[in-house]
């Protein structure tokens, strides 16, 4: 359950403690805040059935009194397909992620005619849809492609709009939606056949030796093409997919003479993957809800490139040692 509350206790603008167990925090910080208890529901941020940007602003953070403690909360939009709800959440990363999706929904609801036109363009994907087998339903994939198109074109990786005026400025870029959609369609036309090609090459007689590499590759593909990957992954990382898939094909091609070495390399990646996964579990949020964990995840993909397909290059210098150092920094930063 990603939506477990993580309360932050604030005293004079400083976060003096945080945790998921409110009663324990209250004992610990008895007397920090002197004000009276108020329950954390909130007329201002407790709304449903929102179909357009009809609120004055959506601040990134707000402070509330909770049982005499000052608690920092994050206003959050929740996409409900036909409308958007608004609430407060205690985790900034989750609030940001959910709000992005909520704003994409409000943008789409603001442009019903254009949305219909874009949906028609998706027929251009029909030739590669057979290669998307086992991914998700056609409907779900098409919907994700449209979401990703609005995200990339109108929101990019900028700060999310927090006022009606900023929201309007996003809508003003709508003339570029068609071109962005065609870019995403071209990209899918490259990566879906490549994914299919990889599975095809792993079919048939599998020797025990090859089984290790194959199951590692299947797991990697499962992650790269996880549900909603097109929406949840920033474009700067999606752009690397063709290279990652070429890297897997290269690895398969060279596997025969490399079986022993391939296994050692799997172990090398795995060690770092374990650290990452343990941290994600400890924080109780999806890795893509935290910028540090997200970036490290993609560094692991680059490490795979440098170990299994070195001639194809990496987006930045990576090595086991470098990533360990980086991980130590992240651990400090996230106080793990």
């Amino acid at each position: 359950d990603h939506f477990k509350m993580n309360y932050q206790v604030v005293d004079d603008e400083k976060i003096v403690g945080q945790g998921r167990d409110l009663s324990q925090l209250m004992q610990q910080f008895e007397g920090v805040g002197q004000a009276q208890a108020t329950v954390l529901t909130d007329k201002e941020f407790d709304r449903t059935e929102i179909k357009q940007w009809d609120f004055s602003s959506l601040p990134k953070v707000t402070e509330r009194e909770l049982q005499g403690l000052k608690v920092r909360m994050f206003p959050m939009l929740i996409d409900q397909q036909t409308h958007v709800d608004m609430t407060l959440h205690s985790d900034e990363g989750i609030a940001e992620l959910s709000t992005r999706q909520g704003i994409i929904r409000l943008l789409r609801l603001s442009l019903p005619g254009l949305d219909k036109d874009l949906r028609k363009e998706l027929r251009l994907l029909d030739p590669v849809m057979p290669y998307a087998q086992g991914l998700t339903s056609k409907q779900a994939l098409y919907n994700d492609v449209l979401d990703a198109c609005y995200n990339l074109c109108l929101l990019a990786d900028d700060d999310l709009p927090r006022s009606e005026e900023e929201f309007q400025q996003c809508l003003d870029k709508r003339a570029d939606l068609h071109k962005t959609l065609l870019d995403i369609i071209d990209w899918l036309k490259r990566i879906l056949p490549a994914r299919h090609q990889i599975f095809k090459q792993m079919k048939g007689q599998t020797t025990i030796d090859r089984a290790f590499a194959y199951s590692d590759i299947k797991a990697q593909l499962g992650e790269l093409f996880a549900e909603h990957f097109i929406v949840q992954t920033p474009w700067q990382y999606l752009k690397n997919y063709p290279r990652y898939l070429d890297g897997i094909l290269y690895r398969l091609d060279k596997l025969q003479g490399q079986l022993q070495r391939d296994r050692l390399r799997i172990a090398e990646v795995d060690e770092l993957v374990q650290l990452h996964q343990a941290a994600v579990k400890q924080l109780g949020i999806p890795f893509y809800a935290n910028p540090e964990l997200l970036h490290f995840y993609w560094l692991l993909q680059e490490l795979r490139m440098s170990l299994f397909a070195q001639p194809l290059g990496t987006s930045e210098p990576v090595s086991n040692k470098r990533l360990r150092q980086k991980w130590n920094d992240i651990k400090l930063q996230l106080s793990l």
Side-chain angles (χ1 to χ4, degrees):
D1 171 21
H2 297 329
F3 293 95
K4 270 248 291 287
M5 287 291 199
N6 176 40
Y7 298 99
Q8 295 183 337
V9 181
V10 184
D11 188 30
D12 277 342
E13 296 306 304
K14 280 216 292 287
I15 295 179
V16 289
Q18 52 182 325
R20 299 207 184 305
D21 183 346
L22 186 61
S23 52
Q24 186 194 335
L25 277 175
M26 304 214 10
Q27 283 170 351
Q28 201 179 335
F29 292 102
E30 219 176 347
V32 167
Q34 293 309 320
Q36 275 315 296
T38 56
V39 183
L40 210 77
T41 58
D42 203 286
K43 287 292 157 279
E44 190 187 350
F45 296 112
D46 200 11
R47 294 193 47 200
T48 175
E49 295 291 331
I50 302 168
K51 296 200 160 117
Q52 62 200 63
W53 193 291
D54 57 9
F55 34 94
S56 56
S57 72
L58 187 69
K60 212 180 166 95
V61 61
T62 180
E63 280 181 5
R64 288 292 177 266
E65 291 287 343
L66 185 63
Q67 322 257 350
L69 293 180
K70 237 185 187 182
V71 178
R72 182 168 291 189
M73 300 296 284
F74 302 92
M76 174 170 94
L77 296 178
I78 304 167
D79 174 15
Q80 305 287 17
Q81 308 296 320
T82 54
H83 64 272
V84 170
D85 292 343
M86 187 191 289
T87 183
L88 288 171
H89 199 276
S90 55
D91 184 278
E92 184 175 8
I94 287 181
E96 185 78 2
L97 202 68
S98 180
T99 296
R100 178 175 289 271
Q101 189 59 40
I103 289 174
I104 291 171
R105 177 64 57 207
L106 288 180
L107 289 165
R108 291 185 62 179
L109 290 171
S110 306
L111 302 168
L114 189 50
D115 204 67
K116 235 186 211 120
D117 292 345
L118 291 170
R119 196 173 278 281
K120 284 184 194 139
E121 294 275 358
L122 291 173
R123 283 185 301 224
L124 293 169
L125 277 173
D126 287 348
V128 290
M129 281 316 282
Y131 298 127
Q133 257 183 337
L135 257 187
T136 175
S137 74
K138 180 171 167 173
Q139 227 26 60
L141 185 72
Y142 280 7
N143 218 10
D144 281 355
V145 168
L146 288 175
D147 278 351
C149 175
Y150 281 78
N151 185 28
L152 179 58
C153 181
L154 306 185
L155 297 175
D157 296 324
D158 305 334
D159 288 336
L160 295 174
R162 297 268 164 201
S163 68
E164 195 172 352
E165 189 191 354
E166 288 175 0
F167 182 74
Q168 214 42 59
Q169 285 164 359
C170 294
L171 285 175
D172 290 345
K173 296 187 269 188
R174 61 179 172 264
D176 297 332
L177 278 165
H178 270 277
K179 189 196 168 305
T180 304
L181 184 61
L182 294 176
D183 288 344
I184 296 174
I185 288 172
D186 282 345
W187 169 82
L188 273 169
K189 284 180 159 176
R190 284 186 68 188
I191 66 167
L192 290 177
R195 173 184 172 272
H196 175 77
Q197 178 69 27
I198 292 164
F199 278 117
K200 210 166 124 186
Q201 265 180 249
M202 293 191 295
K203 273 220 170 79
Q205 289 301 303
T206 305
T207 59
I208 294 260
D209 289 343
R210 282 176 170 266
F212 278 97
Y214 285 6
S215 81
D216 180 55
I217 288 168
K218 279 177 186 155
Q220 184 188 0
L221 287 172
E223 286 188 359
L224 287 176
F225 290 90
E227 203 182 10
H228 304 309
F229 75 101
I230 303 177
V231 194
Q232 276 156 357
T233 310
W235 187 248
Q236 69 189 82
Y237 302 119
L238 290 174
K239 280 198 311 229
N240 296 322
Y241 270 52
R243 182 166 48 89
Y244 294 152
L245 296 169
D246 287 347
I248 296 173
L249 286 164
Y250 178 91
R251 175 183 178 187
L252 284 170
D253 199 40
K254 298 272 180 277
L255 197 55
Q256 200 38 55
Q258 302 266 357
L259 291 164
Q260 211 26 56
R261 199 177 292 175
D262 195 271
R263 274 182 75 168
L264 292 171
R265 287 169 180 156
I266 293 174
E268 210 176 312
V269 176
D270 230 29
E271 234 175 301
L272 287 159
V273 167
Q274 302 289 329
L275 292 174
H276 186 257
Q277 283 175 350
V280 169
K281 206 167 175 181
Q282 191 182 334
L283 287 170
I285 59 173
F287 73 87
Y288 47 80
N290 175 285
E292 292 298 328
L293 292 178
L294 176 73
H295 183 58
F296 192 83
Y297 173 85
W298 293 103
L299 285 177
L300 289 171
Q301 298 299 330
E302 295 298 334
L303 181 67
R304 285 179 161 282
M305 289 299 294
S306 80
L307 291 170
F308 295 112
Q310 200 171 19
L312 277 62
T314 57
S315 65
E316 58 182 281
V318 283
S319 67
N320 202 303
K321 190 174 158 205
R322 228 174 247 253
L323 262 61
R324 263 180 198 287
Q325 186 49 55
K326 175 108 181 104
W327 186 251
N328 290 334
D329 298 344
I330 290 175
K331 261 171 67 172
L332 281 174
Q333 201 178 328
L334 301 180
S335 49
L336 293 165

